[in-house]
Amino acid sequence: MVTVALVGLGDIGRGAHLPALLRSPEVRVVAVADPVAEHRDAVAPLLSDGVAVGASLDDALAAGPDGVVLATPPWATPELTIQALRAGRFVLAEKPVATSVAAAAVYDRLTDAERERLQIGLTYRHDPALARLKSWIGDGVLGGPLLVRAHVYDERRDPANPEHLDRIRRTLAHGTPVVHEGAHVFDWLAHLLGPGALSVDDAWALRTDAGLPAPNLTGARLHHPGGHRVLAEFGWLTDTLPRCELTFLGPRGLATLDGGTFALRLRTSARAEDVEFPGERGPRCFDLQVARFAALVRGDAAAPAPDPDLAAGLAALAVAERVATLAMDGVTA
Ligand SMILES: NC(=O)c1ccc[n+]([C@@H]2O[C@H](COP(=O)([O-])OP(=O)(O)OC[C@H]3O[C@@H](n4cnc5c(N)ncnc54)[C@H](O)[C@@H]3O)[C@@H](O)[C@H]2O)c1
């Protein structure tokens, strides 16, 4: 059994990480921590006797866990990550790895040995749908080059849920949706399209409500050294949202990834395939992520290095920031 502390009991900490950790037969939760008493109280009924409940990472480390899961905001995560790694723990740290490339420079302080203990919470990378899509692309089922259209819309504005609106507004104050959602999407694209970084050709942003702290809709045109083109859009906080999906169009076929469920659809002149993997995408990916982290902590031969690693998190952040910067250059209101 790998022992784990969960630090950060907000939305994703208590909604996804804690349930996945408690479901895992490979992991035992020994501590949880959050500075907000309400957040600690909300998880108390789920915890078995003996789990230490504290306010800080220091409190969680005192329980002596093998690993620490950081479900903290990106402005807090870098320093907490460094502290937990310096304390000799394995760390699964939420994405994005920082709020900016400049803020991520603190990771330069890490030694190679410390980096080898750091897995990044690019959770959906673990989904079997991405592996299937990667094999379709790699095997040439779609042909190439590809036109990728990524329409990533989430966080619908719901006036009946002021807590949600408040939380997303606060997140927006730290960057447009591409900084937060792009961490996932640009990681998927790097993984799917193969070696070489995405370059941003141009970008745009739009604030649909003057009261919002930053534009809530943004997008970009990008290209990949493999010859692929990407049109990416990200949006939050409109009363209705467009469909969330990614399409991969090549000369031989079209693959569609449903952004919500990760159901896959393949159409070529010779083949029609619809693929759905068991269970819901969220729990499925969080469970696989915990299993991968447990294997890293145990030092399994199949998990000799963290996956996804810090380099993947930094690469996705760099593309997302480039989009955000170029987009804001053109924003006057
Ligand atoms: N992997 C995914 O699919 C996924 C999904 C949603 C959110 N996220 C990421 O998870 C992170 C957290 O998002 P959220 O929506 O849960 O935010 P949140 O604000 O709801 O929760 C963050 C929690 O961290 C706590 N916290 C803040 N500073 C702390 C510190 N120094 N020590 C301990 N706890 C601290 C806060 O009190 C809060 O409870 C963000 O980076 C977000 O982008 C990832």
Side-chain angles (χ1 to χ4, degrees), residues 7-14 16-17 33-36 39 55-57 70-77 80 94-96 121-124 155 163 167-168 170-171 180 184 281 286 289:
V7 176
L9 302 171
D11 194 52
I12 206 71
R14 48 175 202 268
H17 284 288
D34 197 294
V36 178
H39 294 185
S56 66
L57 172 62
L70 293 172
T72 43
W75 46 96
T77 302
L80 296 171
E94 262 302 349
K95 51 51 67 177
L122 292 161
T123 313
Y124 304 103
E155 313 296 358
E163 183 280 324
R167 181 159 44 82
I168 301 305
R170 259 185 287 126
T171 310
H180 308 280
H184 284 303
R281 179 188 79 145
F286 276 87
Q289 176 172 260

mmCIF file of all heavy atoms in Angstrom, residues 7-14 16-17 33-36 39 55-57 70-77 80 94-96 121-124 155 163 167-168 170-171 180 184 281 286 289, ligand 1:
data_model
loop_
_atom_site.group_PDB
_atom_site.id
_atom_site.type_symbol
_atom_site.label_atom_id
_atom_site.label_comp_id
_atom_site.label_asym_id
_atom_site.label_seq_id
_atom_site.Cartn_x
_atom_site.Cartn_y
_atom_site.Cartn_z
ATOM 1 N N VAL A 7 -3.583 17.360 -0.398
ATOM 2 C CA VAL A 7 -3.516 18.760 0.038
ATOM 3 C C VAL A 7 -4.304 19.604 -0.956
ATOM 4 O O VAL A 7 -4.017 19.581 -2.162
ATOM 5 C CB VAL A 7 -2.047 19.230 0.123
ATOM 6 C CG1 VAL A 7 -1.977 20.712 0.485
ATOM 7 C CG2 VAL A 7 -1.304 18.399 1.159
ATOM 8 N N GLY A 8 -5.302 20.330 -0.443
ATOM 9 C CA GLY A 8 -6.213 21.082 -1.314
ATOM 10 C C GLY A 8 -7.511 20.313 -1.415
ATOM 11 O O GLY A 8 -7.607 19.293 -2.110
ATOM 12 N N LEU A 9 -8.511 20.792 -0.659
ATOM 13 C CA LEU A 9 -9.791 20.077 -0.592
ATOM 14 C C LEU A 9 -10.888 20.939 -1.206
ATOM 15 O O LEU A 9 -11.995 21.031 -0.684
ATOM 16 C CB LEU A 9 -10.125 19.731 0.866
ATOM 17 C CG LEU A 9 -9.065 18.882 1.579
ATOM 18 C CD1 LEU A 9 -9.382 18.780 3.070
ATOM 19 C CD2 LEU A 9 -8.987 17.492 0.949
ATOM 20 N N GLY A 10 -10.561 21.593 -2.307
ATOM 21 C CA GLY A 10 -11.541 22.412 -3.012
ATOM 22 C C GLY A 10 -12.338 21.527 -3.954
ATOM 23 O O GLY A 10 -12.531 20.326 -3.731
ATOM 24 N N ASP A 11 -12.774 22.151 -5.028
ATOM 25 C CA ASP A 11 -13.671 21.474 -5.961
ATOM 26 C C ASP A 11 -13.112 20.137 -6.461
ATOM 27 O O ASP A 11 -13.721 19.080 -6.302
ATOM 28 C CB ASP A 11 -13.909 22.437 -7.124
ATOM 29 C CG ASP A 11 -15.068 22.011 -7.975
ATOM 30 O OD1 ASP A 11 -16.143 21.786 -7.408
ATOM 31 O OD2 ASP A 11 -14.881 21.889 -9.196
ATOM 32 N N ILE A 12 -11.910 20.172 -7.018
ATOM 33 C CA ILE A 12 -11.378 18.954 -7.645
ATOM 34 C C ILE A 12 -10.765 18.023 -6.591
ATOM 35 O O ILE A 12 -10.779 16.801 -6.752
ATOM 36 C CB ILE A 12 -10.367 19.315 -8.767
ATOM 37 C CG1 ILE A 12 -10.303 18.206 -9.811
ATOM 38 C CG2 ILE A 12 -9.006 19.659 -8.248
ATOM 39 C CD1 ILE A 12 -11.510 18.094 -10.662
ATOM 40 N N GLY A 13 -10.263 18.616 -5.509
ATOM 41 C CA GLY A 13 -9.692 17.794 -4.434
ATOM 42 C C GLY A 13 -10.729 16.880 -3.832
ATOM 43 O O GLY A 13 -10.554 15.662 -3.759
ATOM 44 N N ARG A 14 -11.871 17.486 -3.418
ATOM 45 C CA ARG A 14 -12.860 16.613 -2.774
ATOM 46 C C ARG A 14 -13.786 15.947 -3.779
ATOM 47 O O ARG A 14 -14.341 14.887 -3.507
ATOM 48 C CB ARG A 14 -13.647 17.313 -1.685
ATOM 49 C CG ARG A 14 -14.227 18.637 -1.973
ATOM 50 C CD ARG A 14 -15.080 19.129 -0.792
ATOM 51 N NE ARG A 14 -16.010 20.125 -1.271
ATOM 52 C CZ ARG A 14 -15.756 21.431 -1.271
ATOM 53 N NH1 ARG A 14 -14.631 21.873 -0.777
ATOM 54 N NH2 ARG A 14 -16.635 22.275 -1.748
ATOM 55 N N ALA A 16 -12.955 14.876 -6.995
ATOM 56 C CA ALA A 16 -12.365 13.872 -7.901
ATOM 57 C C ALA A 16 -11.157 13.149 -7.298
ATOM 58 O O ALA A 16 -11.082 11.922 -7.360
ATOM 59 C CB ALA A 16 -11.964 14.545 -9.214
ATOM 60 N N HIS A 17 -10.202 13.908 -6.722
ATOM 61 C CA HIS A 17 -8.998 13.228 -6.200
ATOM 62 C C HIS A 17 -9.323 12.330 -5.011
ATOM 63 O O HIS A 17 -8.899 11.166 -4.981
ATOM 64 C CB HIS A 17 -7.941 14.253 -5.782
ATOM 65 C CG HIS A 17 -7.222 14.875 -6.923
ATOM 66 N ND1 HIS A 17 -6.289 14.188 -7.674
ATOM 67 C CD2 HIS A 17 -7.307 16.116 -7.464
ATOM 68 C CE1 HIS A 17 -5.821 14.987 -8.622
ATOM 69 N NE2 HIS A 17 -6.420 16.152 -8.516
ATOM 70 N N ALA A 33 -5.360 18.011 3.949
ATOM 71 C CA ALA A 33 -5.109 19.346 4.491
ATOM 72 C C ALA A 33 -5.698 20.417 3.592
ATOM 73 O O ALA A 33 -5.702 20.288 2.359
ATOM 74 C CB ALA A 33 -3.601 19.578 4.643
ATOM 75 N N ASP A 34 -6.172 21.459 4.237
ATOM 76 C CA ASP A 34 -6.664 22.644 3.539
ATOM 77 C C ASP A 34 -6.782 23.755 4.586
ATOM 78 O O ASP A 34 -7.217 23.492 5.704
ATOM 79 C CB ASP A 34 -8.039 22.374 2.903
ATOM 80 C CG ASP A 34 -8.403 23.411 1.847
ATOM 81 O OD1 ASP A 34 -8.599 24.597 2.211
ATOM 82 O OD2 ASP A 34 -8.457 23.049 0.657
ATOM 83 N N PRO A 35 -6.409 24.992 4.225
ATOM 84 C CA PRO A 35 -6.516 26.080 5.210
ATOM 85 C C PRO A 35 -7.968 26.449 5.528
ATOM 86 O O PRO A 35 -8.214 27.101 6.542
ATOM 87 C CB PRO A 35 -5.788 27.253 4.536
ATOM 88 C CG PRO A 35 -5.683 26.907 3.097
ATOM 89 C CD PRO A 35 -5.761 25.428 2.976
ATOM 90 N N VAL A 36 -8.901 26.066 4.687
ATOM 91 C CA VAL A 36 -10.301 26.468 4.884
ATOM 92 C C VAL A 36 -11.041 25.397 5.694
ATOM 93 O O VAL A 36 -11.197 24.250 5.230
ATOM 94 C CB VAL A 36 -10.998 26.704 3.520
ATOM 95 C CG1 VAL A 36 -12.462 27.080 3.702
ATOM 96 C CG2 VAL A 36 -10.254 27.781 2.736
ATOM 97 N N HIS A 39 -13.854 23.398 4.106
ATOM 98 C CA HIS A 39 -13.432 22.374 3.146
ATOM 99 C C HIS A 39 -12.986 21.106 3.879
ATOM 100 O O HIS A 39 -13.240 19.996 3.418
ATOM 101 C CB HIS A 39 -12.314 22.912 2.243
ATOM 102 C CG HIS A 39 -12.777 24.020 1.345
ATOM 103 N ND1 HIS A 39 -11.989 24.585 0.382
ATOM 104 C CD2 HIS A 39 -13.965 24.666 1.273
ATOM 105 C CE1 HIS A 39 -12.668 25.530 -0.248
ATOM 106 N NE2 HIS A 39 -13.867 25.597 0.289
ATOM 107 N N ALA A 55 -4.276 21.872 8.329
ATOM 108 C CA ALA A 55 -4.534 23.103 7.590
ATOM 109 C C ALA A 55 -3.488 23.367 6.510
ATOM 110 O O ALA A 55 -3.696 24.202 5.641
ATOM 111 C CB ALA A 55 -4.570 24.280 8.560
ATOM 112 N N SER A 56 -2.355 22.632 6.559
ATOM 113 C CA SER A 56 -1.249 23.004 5.664
ATOM 114 C C SER A 56 -0.501 21.768 5.168
ATOM 115 O O SER A 56 -0.672 20.656 5.698
ATOM 116 C CB SER A 56 -0.261 23.882 6.429
ATOM 117 O OG SER A 56 0.340 23.099 7.452
ATOM 118 N N LEU A 57 0.353 22.006 4.192
ATOM 119 C CA LEU A 57 1.216 20.931 3.700
ATOM 120 C C LEU A 57 2.094 20.392 4.828
ATOM 121 O O LEU A 57 2.309 19.181 4.935
ATOM 122 C CB LEU A 57 2.072 21.444 2.527
ATOM 123 C CG LEU A 57 3.157 20.494 2.021
ATOM 124 C CD1 LEU A 57 2.550 19.195 1.475
ATOM 125 C CD2 LEU A 57 4.007 21.163 0.942
ATOM 126 N N LEU A 70 -1.326 17.254 -4.760
ATOM 127 C CA LEU A 70 -1.586 18.685 -4.592
ATOM 128 C C LEU A 70 -2.728 19.101 -5.511
ATOM 129 O O LEU A 70 -2.551 19.201 -6.730
ATOM 130 C CB LEU A 70 -0.338 19.495 -4.929
ATOM 131 C CG LEU A 70 0.850 19.334 -3.979
ATOM 132 C CD1 LEU A 70 2.083 20.044 -4.545
ATOM 133 C CD2 LEU A 70 0.507 19.875 -2.589
ATOM 134 N N ALA A 71 -3.892 19.327 -4.917
ATOM 135 C CA ALA A 71 -5.058 19.797 -5.679
ATOM 136 C C ALA A 71 -5.281 21.257 -5.308
ATOM 137 O O ALA A 71 -6.354 21.647 -4.843
ATOM 138 C CB ALA A 71 -6.268 18.945 -5.361
ATOM 139 N N THR A 72 -4.248 22.032 -5.482
ATOM 140 C CA THR A 72 -4.213 23.429 -5.051
ATOM 141 C C THR A 72 -4.233 24.354 -6.270
ATOM 142 O O THR A 72 -3.944 23.907 -7.389
ATOM 143 C CB THR A 72 -2.925 23.662 -4.236
ATOM 144 O OG1 THR A 72 -1.836 23.010 -4.902
ATOM 145 C CG2 THR A 72 -3.049 23.085 -2.846
ATOM 146 N N PRO A 73 -4.545 25.627 -6.082
ATOM 147 C CA PRO A 73 -4.564 26.533 -7.232
ATOM 148 C C PRO A 73 -3.163 26.729 -7.803
ATOM 149 O O PRO A 73 -2.175 26.627 -7.056
ATOM 150 C CB PRO A 73 -5.104 27.846 -6.649
ATOM 151 C CG PRO A 73 -5.510 27.574 -5.248
ATOM 152 C CD PRO A 73 -4.885 26.294 -4.815
ATOM 153 N N PRO A 74 -3.075 27.061 -9.091
ATOM 154 C CA PRO A 74 -1.755 27.112 -9.741
ATOM 155 C C PRO A 74 -0.844 28.198 -9.198
ATOM 156 O O PRO A 74 0.350 28.146 -9.409
ATOM 157 C CB PRO A 74 -2.089 27.339 -11.220
ATOM 158 C CG PRO A 74 -3.495 27.814 -11.257
ATOM 159 C CD PRO A 74 -4.170 27.307 -10.033
ATOM 160 N N TRP A 75 -1.398 29.180 -8.488
ATOM 161 C CA TRP A 75 -0.515 30.197 -7.906
ATOM 162 C C TRP A 75 0.113 29.676 -6.610
ATOM 163 O O TRP A 75 1.080 30.232 -6.129
ATOM 164 C CB TRP A 75 -1.256 31.521 -7.681
ATOM 165 C CG TRP A 75 -2.600 31.408 -7.029
ATOM 166 C CD1 TRP A 75 -2.881 31.545 -5.713
ATOM 167 C CD2 TRP A 75 -3.847 31.163 -7.683
ATOM 168 N NE1 TRP A 75 -4.234 31.378 -5.502
ATOM 169 C CE2 TRP A 75 -4.845 31.155 -6.686
ATOM 170 C CE3 TRP A 75 -4.236 30.944 -9.016
ATOM 171 C CZ2 TRP A 75 -6.202 30.935 -6.964
ATOM 172 C CZ3 TRP A 75 -5.581 30.733 -9.291
ATOM 173 C CH2 TRP A 75 -6.539 30.727 -8.280
ATOM 174 N N ALA A 76 -0.441 28.593 -6.041
ATOM 175 C CA ALA A 76 0.124 28.020 -4.812
ATOM 176 C C ALA A 76 0.934 26.756 -5.097
ATOM 177 O O ALA A 76 1.871 26.413 -4.359
ATOM 178 C CB ALA A 76 -1.006 27.688 -3.826
ATOM 179 N N THR A 77 0.581 26.050 -6.165
ATOM 180 C CA THR A 77 1.140 24.716 -6.423
ATOM 181 C C THR A 77 2.669 24.675 -6.559
ATOM 182 O O THR A 77 3.300 23.759 -6.003
ATOM 183 C CB THR A 77 0.464 24.103 -7.681
ATOM 184 O OG1 THR A 77 -0.951 24.054 -7.427
ATOM 185 C CG2 THR A 77 0.972 22.720 -7.999
ATOM 186 N N LEU A 80 4.505 24.653 -3.154
ATOM 187 C CA LEU A 80 4.115 23.455 -2.391
ATOM 188 C C LEU A 80 4.796 22.216 -2.988
ATOM 189 O O LEU A 80 5.247 21.316 -2.270
ATOM 190 C CB LEU A 80 2.586 23.284 -2.400
ATOM 191 C CG LEU A 80 1.779 24.387 -1.701
ATOM 192 C CD1 LEU A 80 0.281 24.221 -1.969
ATOM 193 C CD2 LEU A 80 2.044 24.370 -0.185
ATOM 194 N N GLU A 94 -1.380 19.183 -9.437
ATOM 195 C CA GLU A 94 -2.375 19.583 -10.421
ATOM 196 C C GLU A 94 -1.795 20.488 -11.499
ATOM 197 O O GLU A 94 -0.823 21.205 -11.276
ATOM 198 C CB GLU A 94 -3.545 20.308 -9.720
ATOM 199 C CG GLU A 94 -4.736 19.429 -9.445
ATOM 200 C CD GLU A 94 -5.309 18.792 -10.715
ATOM 201 O OE1 GLU A 94 -4.932 19.172 -11.826
ATOM 202 O OE2 GLU A 94 -6.126 17.874 -10.567
ATOM 203 N N LYS A 95 -2.412 20.439 -12.656
ATOM 204 C CA LYS A 95 -2.121 21.376 -13.728
ATOM 205 C C LYS A 95 -2.958 22.630 -13.525
ATOM 206 O O LYS A 95 -3.951 22.546 -12.789
ATOM 207 C CB LYS A 95 -2.386 20.773 -15.104
ATOM 208 C CG LYS A 95 -3.742 20.113 -15.312
ATOM 209 C CD LYS A 95 -5.006 20.793 -14.981
ATOM 210 C CE LYS A 95 -5.381 21.990 -15.792
ATOM 211 N NZ LYS A 95 -6.725 22.557 -15.405
ATOM 212 N N PRO A 96 -2.669 23.765 -14.156
ATOM 213 C CA PRO A 96 -1.409 24.037 -14.826
ATOM 214 C C PRO A 96 -0.277 24.115 -13.794
ATOM 215 O O PRO A 96 -0.524 24.411 -12.633
ATOM 216 C CB PRO A 96 -1.649 25.402 -15.486
ATOM 217 C CG PRO A 96 -2.763 26.024 -14.722
ATOM 218 C CD PRO A 96 -3.595 24.917 -14.164
ATOM 219 N N GLY A 121 -0.669 16.447 -12.947
ATOM 220 C CA GLY A 121 -2.077 16.020 -13.047
ATOM 221 C C GLY A 121 -2.729 16.376 -14.372
ATOM 222 O O GLY A 121 -3.811 16.958 -14.389
ATOM 223 N N LEU A 122 -2.065 16.018 -15.449
ATOM 224 C CA LEU A 122 -2.685 16.138 -16.773
ATOM 225 C C LEU A 122 -3.528 14.869 -16.942
ATOM 226 O O LEU A 122 -3.213 13.972 -17.724
ATOM 227 C CB LEU A 122 -1.598 16.290 -17.845
ATOM 228 C CG LEU A 122 -0.846 17.624 -17.743
ATOM 229 C CD1 LEU A 122 0.496 17.564 -18.483
ATOM 230 C CD2 LEU A 122 -1.705 18.763 -18.303
ATOM 231 N N THR A 123 -4.595 14.852 -16.176
ATOM 232 C CA THR A 123 -5.359 13.647 -15.878
ATOM 233 C C THR A 123 -5.834 12.882 -17.110
ATOM 234 O O THR A 123 -5.762 11.648 -17.156
ATOM 235 C CB THR A 123 -6.604 14.058 -15.049
ATOM 236 O OG1 THR A 123 -6.179 14.942 -14.020
ATOM 237 C CG2 THR A 123 -7.303 12.875 -14.463
ATOM 238 N N TYR A 124 -6.317 13.622 -18.098
ATOM 239 C CA TYR A 124 -7.000 12.942 -19.215
ATOM 240 C C TYR A 124 -6.026 12.275 -20.172
ATOM 241 O O TYR A 124 -6.426 11.509 -21.030
ATOM 242 C CB TYR A 124 -7.946 13.932 -19.909
ATOM 243 C CG TYR A 124 -8.892 14.494 -18.884
ATOM 244 C CD1 TYR A 124 -8.727 15.775 -18.366
ATOM 245 C CD2 TYR A 124 -9.891 13.695 -18.337
ATOM 246 C CE1 TYR A 124 -9.555 16.256 -17.361
ATOM 247 C CE2 TYR A 124 -10.717 14.165 -17.333
ATOM 248 C CZ TYR A 124 -10.543 15.440 -16.854
ATOM 249 O OH TYR A 124 -11.352 15.894 -15.848
ATOM 250 N N GLU A 155 -17.699 25.216 -18.067
ATOM 251 C CA GLU A 155 -18.017 26.196 -17.023
ATOM 252 C C GLU A 155 -19.127 27.144 -17.474
ATOM 253 O O GLU A 155 -18.960 28.370 -17.529
ATOM 254 C CB GLU A 155 -16.759 27.000 -16.610
ATOM 255 C CG GLU A 155 -15.525 26.178 -16.350
ATOM 256 C CD GLU A 155 -15.650 25.218 -15.165
ATOM 257 O OE1 GLU A 155 -16.695 25.201 -14.487
ATOM 258 O OE2 GLU A 155 -14.687 24.462 -14.943
ATOM 259 N N GLU A 163 -21.634 30.301 -6.149
ATOM 260 C CA GLU A 163 -20.314 29.788 -5.705
ATOM 261 C C GLU A 163 -19.468 29.443 -6.929
ATOM 262 O O GLU A 163 -18.289 29.799 -7.010
ATOM 263 C CB GLU A 163 -20.534 28.559 -4.802
ATOM 264 C CG GLU A 163 -19.264 27.966 -4.203
ATOM 265 C CD GLU A 163 -18.464 27.069 -5.153
ATOM 266 O OE1 GLU A 163 -19.077 26.333 -5.971
ATOM 267 O OE2 GLU A 163 -17.229 27.131 -5.107
ATOM 268 N N ARG A 167 -16.010 31.263 -8.164
ATOM 269 C CA ARG A 167 -14.763 30.493 -8.285
ATOM 270 C C ARG A 167 -14.177 30.657 -9.690
ATOM 271 O O ARG A 167 -12.971 30.854 -9.852
ATOM 272 C CB ARG A 167 -15.054 29.015 -7.968
ATOM 273 C CG ARG A 167 -13.836 28.120 -8.039
ATOM 274 C CD ARG A 167 -14.027 26.837 -7.247
ATOM 275 N NE ARG A 167 -15.317 26.216 -7.450
ATOM 276 C CZ ARG A 167 -15.629 25.439 -8.484
ATOM 277 N NH1 ARG A 167 -14.734 25.207 -9.415
ATOM 278 N NH2 ARG A 167 -16.824 24.899 -8.593
ATOM 279 N N ILE A 168 -15.033 30.591 -10.703
ATOM 280 C CA ILE A 168 -14.518 30.696 -12.071
ATOM 281 C C ILE A 168 -14.058 32.128 -12.360
ATOM 282 O O ILE A 168 -13.049 32.335 -13.041
ATOM 283 C CB ILE A 168 -15.583 30.213 -13.101
ATOM 284 C CG1 ILE A 168 -15.976 28.761 -12.809
ATOM 285 C CG2 ILE A 168 -15.052 30.332 -14.532
ATOM 286 C CD1 ILE A 168 -14.809 27.775 -12.761
ATOM 287 N N ARG A 170 -12.750 34.082 -10.158
ATOM 288 C CA ARG A 170 -11.450 34.194 -9.475
ATOM 289 C C ARG A 170 -10.353 33.545 -10.323
ATOM 290 O O ARG A 170 -9.242 34.049 -10.450
ATOM 291 C CB ARG A 170 -11.510 33.516 -8.104
ATOM 292 C CG ARG A 170 -11.681 34.501 -6.954
ATOM 293 C CD ARG A 170 -11.607 33.800 -5.602
ATOM 294 N NE ARG A 170 -12.796 33.024 -5.336
ATOM 295 C CZ ARG A 170 -12.813 31.733 -5.005
ATOM 296 N NH1 ARG A 170 -11.698 31.051 -4.898
ATOM 297 N NH2 ARG A 170 -13.941 31.099 -4.780
ATOM 298 N N THR A 171 -10.695 32.397 -10.913
ATOM 299 C CA THR A 171 -9.719 31.704 -11.757
ATOM 300 C C THR A 171 -9.409 32.548 -12.992
ATOM 301 O O THR A 171 -8.253 32.673 -13.411
ATOM 302 C CB THR A 171 -10.256 30.314 -12.161
ATOM 303 O OG1 THR A 171 -10.697 29.656 -10.984
ATOM 304 C CG2 THR A 171 -9.198 29.471 -12.840
ATOM 305 N N HIS A 180 -5.874 27.725 -18.407
ATOM 306 C CA HIS A 180 -6.318 26.634 -17.538
ATOM 307 C C HIS A 180 -6.669 25.388 -18.356
ATOM 308 O O HIS A 180 -6.180 24.295 -18.098
ATOM 309 C CB HIS A 180 -7.503 27.098 -16.696
ATOM 310 C CG HIS A 180 -7.196 28.388 -15.982
ATOM 311 N ND1 HIS A 180 -6.466 28.429 -14.820
ATOM 312 C CD2 HIS A 180 -7.460 29.691 -16.306
ATOM 313 C CE1 HIS A 180 -6.314 29.689 -14.454
ATOM 314 N NE2 HIS A 180 -6.909 30.470 -15.337
ATOM 315 N N HIS A 184 -4.444 21.091 -20.516
ATOM 316 C CA HIS A 184 -4.833 19.747 -20.947
ATOM 317 C C HIS A 184 -4.723 19.594 -22.468
ATOM 318 O O HIS A 184 -4.101 18.679 -22.983
ATOM 319 C CB HIS A 184 -6.299 19.463 -20.576
ATOM 320 C CG HIS A 184 -6.516 19.153 -19.134
ATOM 321 N ND1 HIS A 184 -5.877 18.133 -18.487
ATOM 322 C CD2 HIS A 184 -7.328 19.725 -18.208
ATOM 323 C CE1 HIS A 184 -6.281 18.083 -17.233
ATOM 324 N NE2 HIS A 184 -7.160 19.050 -17.031
ATOM 325 N N ARG A 281 -15.848 9.413 -18.028
ATOM 326 C CA ARG A 281 -14.489 9.862 -18.317
ATOM 327 C C ARG A 281 -13.758 10.347 -17.066
ATOM 328 O O ARG A 281 -12.606 9.981 -16.825
ATOM 329 C CB ARG A 281 -14.532 10.995 -19.348
ATOM 330 C CG ARG A 281 -13.155 11.518 -19.682
ATOM 331 C CD ARG A 281 -13.200 12.751 -20.548
ATOM 332 N NE ARG A 281 -13.488 13.946 -19.784
ATOM 333 C CZ ARG A 281 -12.974 15.149 -20.046
ATOM 334 N NH1 ARG A 281 -12.159 15.311 -21.071
ATOM 335 N NH2 ARG A 281 -13.293 16.189 -19.322
ATOM 336 N N PHE A 286 -9.239 9.719 -13.397
ATOM 337 C CA PHE A 286 -8.652 9.930 -12.068
ATOM 338 C C PHE A 286 -8.184 8.600 -11.478
ATOM 339 O O PHE A 286 -7.144 8.540 -10.817
ATOM 340 C CB PHE A 286 -9.620 10.675 -11.137
ATOM 341 C CG PHE A 286 -9.549 12.167 -11.321
ATOM 342 C CD1 PHE A 286 -10.313 12.806 -12.283
ATOM 343 C CD2 PHE A 286 -8.673 12.946 -10.572
ATOM 344 C CE1 PHE A 286 -10.222 14.179 -12.479
ATOM 345 C CE2 PHE A 286 -8.566 14.315 -10.756
ATOM 346 C CZ PHE A 286 -9.345 14.937 -11.724
ATOM 347 N N GLN A 289 -5.001 7.695 -13.216
ATOM 348 C CA GLN A 289 -3.939 8.603 -12.761
ATOM 349 C C GLN A 289 -3.384 8.145 -11.403
ATOM 350 O O GLN A 289 -2.169 8.121 -11.188
ATOM 351 C CB GLN A 289 -4.517 10.011 -12.658
ATOM 352 C CG GLN A 289 -3.569 11.057 -12.114
ATOM 353 C CD GLN A 289 -4.142 12.452 -12.235
ATOM 354 O OE1 GLN A 289 -3.803 13.199 -13.133
ATOM 355 N NE2 GLN A 289 -5.011 12.832 -11.324
HETATM 356 N N1 LIG B 1 -7.008 17.569 -13.580
HETATM 357 C C1 LIG B 1 -8.215 18.053 -13.820
HETATM 358 O O1 LIG B 1 -8.996 17.516 -14.573
HETATM 359 C C2 LIG B 1 -8.642 19.312 -13.139
HETATM 360 C C3 LIG B 1 -9.981 19.671 -13.088
HETATM 361 C C4 LIG B 1 -10.334 20.831 -12.398
HETATM 362 C C5 LIG B 1 -9.362 21.618 -11.807
HETATM 363 N N2 LIG B 1 -8.048 21.260 -11.915
HETATM 364 C C6 LIG B 1 -6.979 22.075 -11.322
HETATM 365 O O2 LIG B 1 -6.949 21.789 -9.934
HETATM 366 C C7 LIG B 1 -6.506 22.951 -9.237
HETATM 367 C C8 LIG B 1 -7.516 23.263 -8.148
HETATM 368 O O3 LIG B 1 -8.760 23.570 -8.764
HETATM 369 P P1 LIG B 1 -10.122 23.641 -7.925
HETATM 370 O O4 LIG B 1 -11.179 23.925 -8.916
HETATM 371 O O5 LIG B 1 -10.246 22.460 -7.041
HETATM 372 O O6 LIG B 1 -9.862 24.957 -7.045
HETATM 373 P P2 LIG B 1 -10.512 25.302 -5.637
HETATM 374 O O7 LIG B 1 -10.237 26.747 -5.421
HETATM 375 O O8 LIG B 1 -11.908 24.811 -5.566
HETATM 376 O O9 LIG B 1 -9.649 24.427 -4.598
HETATM 377 C C9 LIG B 1 -8.336 24.705 -4.234
HETATM 378 C C10 LIG B 1 -8.165 24.349 -2.769
HETATM 379 O O10 LIG B 1 -6.804 24.517 -2.398
HETATM 380 C C11 LIG B 1 -6.775 25.120 -1.112
HETATM 381 N N3 LIG B 1 -5.506 25.808 -0.930
HETATM 382 C C12 LIG B 1 -5.107 26.992 -1.417
HETATM 383 N N4 LIG B 1 -3.859 27.272 -1.023
HETATM 384 C C13 LIG B 1 -3.454 26.222 -0.272
HETATM 385 C C14 LIG B 1 -2.255 25.919 0.415
HETATM 386 N N5 LIG B 1 -1.213 26.756 0.408
HETATM 387 N N6 LIG B 1 -2.180 24.747 1.090
HETATM 388 C C15 LIG B 1 -3.219 23.890 1.098
HETATM 389 N N7 LIG B 1 -4.386 24.120 0.454
HETATM 390 C C16 LIG B 1 -4.494 25.273 -0.222
HETATM 391 C C17 LIG B 1 -7.951 26.057 -1.095
HETATM 392 O O11 LIG B 1 -8.366 26.396 0.219
HETATM 393 C C18 LIG B 1 -9.000 25.234 -1.830
HETATM 394 O O12 LIG B 1 -9.741 24.422 -0.961
HETATM 395 C C19 LIG B 1 -6.362 24.055 -10.294
HETATM 396 O O13 LIG B 1 -5.021 24.155 -10.684
HETATM 397 C C20 LIG B 1 -7.198 23.564 -11.459
HETATM 398 O O14 LIG B 1 -6.740 24.016 -12.724
HETATM 399 C C21 LIG B 1 -7.691 20.132 -12.557
#
